Amino acid sequence: MKRICISACLIFINMFCIFSIANAQQPLPCGKYLIDFSAQDIANNFRRINTNQPGTVNYLVRVYFHILQNDDGTNAAITPAQVATEFTTLLSNYAADNLCFINAGTDNINNTFLNTLFNADNDPSGSFFAPYQVPRCINVFYTRKINGNNSACSPPCGYGGIALGGIPGTFCLVATGNIGPGATISHEVGHCLGLLHCFETANGYENINGSNSSTAADQVTDTPADPFAYNGSTCYTTPANSCTYVGTCADPNGATAFNPPYTNLMSYWGVRSGCYPTVANTNGQFLRVNSFLGSSTPLINCSSPSILTVFNTTVSSGFYMQSAINSLTTSGNVILNGTVKALVGGGIINLEPGFRASPTSGQIRIEVKPCN
């Protein structure tokens, strides 16, 4: 039997169908997230010890997509074509960091409560989503609506996304209305990877002159102080289109000349208003992401080694997620069958004699890394 070598193609063996429809809604801001301060301290220390600049370390992170729909299979939150576009957006926003993602799979979840009725304020831990999470992957759940007490609209219209798994974490939600413009997918996955909002106040308010930028706000020195931290105060004002800041808020030093991070992926200026369609992260934010990828055990478990050999194994149920940055090779009898949901992925995939994929009602993806 000849060896099968895959380096530029995709084999997708899928034993179920996906039906979904998505309707446009007005983009909404994030829901409240929880910060793991212990993990943050560990990552900050890791960054001080490891001074690699963005682009010098390669990562390949597995991402699994979940499409919520009602109990009867209708009212899906997103279409498969939109998932593909969202994945492309994610790849683009983190390519400058040599951070690549690999699509570990997609499933459909028939649950009206999670699709349209779930309230993120009532369940900030996200326990309702726990049974559906795929291990060793960042899980992205698309839902019709994320309910919650969003004071930006009346009656409360909920949120556009939320990192329910915390920061850092391994799962997040994106609402139908936030698919596409504003790159909400990349914003929420950014939270999973350890990024905070530029206007975060849990670490204290940032000085405009940057003197406390490494410890306050998002703890990133090359993102300027964001006056959105004062949103809700009488000093905070913007024009009707919300595209620019014209307020009089003062930082802890009394300075008022803010230069907002209008085009930053982790601010609200581009995501919410749509005034800045091109959003991006800074080198400092990429350094922060790398520090969490190198120090947070859950994120390390979602990442791929450079080279991987899969030896004799048979998996007939559950999840089996294996990927490698450069090359993945099977050796001996590697059998994937039954109801298993599996990923075999890498830069080059060598399927040696003895590899067999024969799912009955499962899903097996054999996928080449999409980044160069």
Side-chain angles (χ1 to χ4, degrees):
M1 182 175 179
K2 297 178 67 175
R3 182 182 72 177
I4 303 173
C5 179
I6 302 175
S7 59
C9 62
L10 166 68
I11 298 175
F12 185 35
I13 306 170
N14 186 1
M15 295 301 175
F16 57 84
C17 297
I18 298 174
F19 300 94
S20 57
I21 301 172
N23 295 325
Q25 300 176 8
Q26 186 67 27
L28 298 170
C30 276
K32 306 174 186 70
Y33 52 65
L34 298 175
I35 302 173
D36 185 337
F37 289 99
S38 175
Q40 180 173 267
D41 291 342
I42 293 171
N44 288 342
N45 186 58
F46 180 92
R47 186 164 63 254
R48 283 189 288 269
I49 296 173
N50 299 273
T51 57
N52 287 318
Q53 294 299 312
T56 63
V57 179
N58 292 321
Y59 290 100
L60 178 63
V61 177
R62 293 177 290 274
V63 181
Y64 201 97
F65 296 95
H66 305 272
I67 301 174
L68 269 295
Q69 49 198 29
N70 289 354
D71 292 340
D72 60 1
T74 64
N75 199 31
I78 191 172
T79 68
Q82 287 176 310
V83 170
T85 300
E86 291 278 279
F87 184 62
T88 298
T89 298
L90 184 62
L91 292 174
S92 175
N93 285 136
Y94 290 90
D97 191 34
N98 272 9
L99 169 54
C100 186
F101 299 91
I102 190 164
N103 186 342
T106 304
D107 64 15
N108 292 69
I109 301 171
N110 290 0
N111 190 314
T112 300
F113 170 72
L114 294 183
N115 192 31
T116 63
L117 303 175
F118 171 76
N119 189 301
D121 293 337
N122 293 344
D123 181 35
S125 69
S127 58
F128 289 112
F129 292 86
Y132 303 103
Q133 292 184 50
V134 177
R136 303 182 71 231
C137 296
I138 290 179
N139 290 255
V140 181
F141 292 85
Y142 284 95
T143 73
R144 271 291 174 181
K145 186 174 183 180
I146 306 169
N147 295 285
N149 188 26
N150 175 11
S151 60
C153 49
S154 181
C157 52
Y159 307 112
I162 181 171
L164 270 184
I167 300 178
T170 57
F171 81 103
C172 60
L173 311 185
V174 177
T176 296
N178 278 53
I179 295 170
T184 297
I185 173 65
S186 301
H187 180 101
E188 296 305 331
V189 170
H191 285 322
C192 292
L193 297 173
L195 293 179
L196 303 171
H197 288 142
C198 297
F199 51 87
E200 179 57 58
T201 60
N203 297 312
Y205 290 81
E206 184 175 357
N207 296 326
I208 291 175
N209 66 8
S211 57
N212 65 344
S213 59
S214 64
T215 58
D218 62 356
Q219 299 187 330
V220 177
T221 58
D222 62 357
T223 58
D226 192 342
F228 195 86
Y230 301 89
N231 184 36
S233 302
T234 56
C235 64
Y236 181 90
T237 55
T238 63
N241 61 10
S242 298
C243 290
T244 55
Y245 168 74
V246 294
T248 59
C249 299
D251 73 1
N253 287 333
T256 59
F258 281 97
N259 180 29
Y262 289 123
T263 60
N264 194 279
L265 180 65
M266 304 310 295
S267 76
Y268 272 178
W269 298 98
V271 173
R272 289 187 62 187
S273 68
C275 300
Y276 308 95
T278 301
V279 290
N281 283 323
T282 66
N283 284 350
Q285 286 172 311
F286 287 143
L287 280 173
R288 182 177 174 90
V289 165
N290 290 353
S291 70
F292 279 95
L293 284 170
S295 65
S296 168
T297 298
L299 292 178
I300 291 172
N301 290 340
C302 295
S303 301
S304 312
S306 179
I307 298 172
L308 177 65
T309 300
V310 178
F311 296 97
N312 294 318
T313 186
T314 298
V315 186
S316 301
S317 62
F319 296 97
Y320 184 73
M321 299 289 154
Q322 298 288 357
S323 57
I325 297 170
N326 295 325
S327 65
L328 182 149
T329 302
T330 65
S331 177
N333 293 323
V334 177
I335 302 170
L336 305 175
N337 56 25
T339 61
V340 65
K341 291 186 177 180
L343 167 72
V344 178
I348 295 176
I349 306 168
N350 300 306
L351 303 179
E352 299 286 356
F355 175 84
R356 293 196 298 275
S358 55
T360 55
S361 59
Q363 179 189 88
I364 299 173
R365 294 182 71 94
I366 303 175
E367 183 166 2
V368 171
K369 180 183 70 172
C371 306
N372 186 0

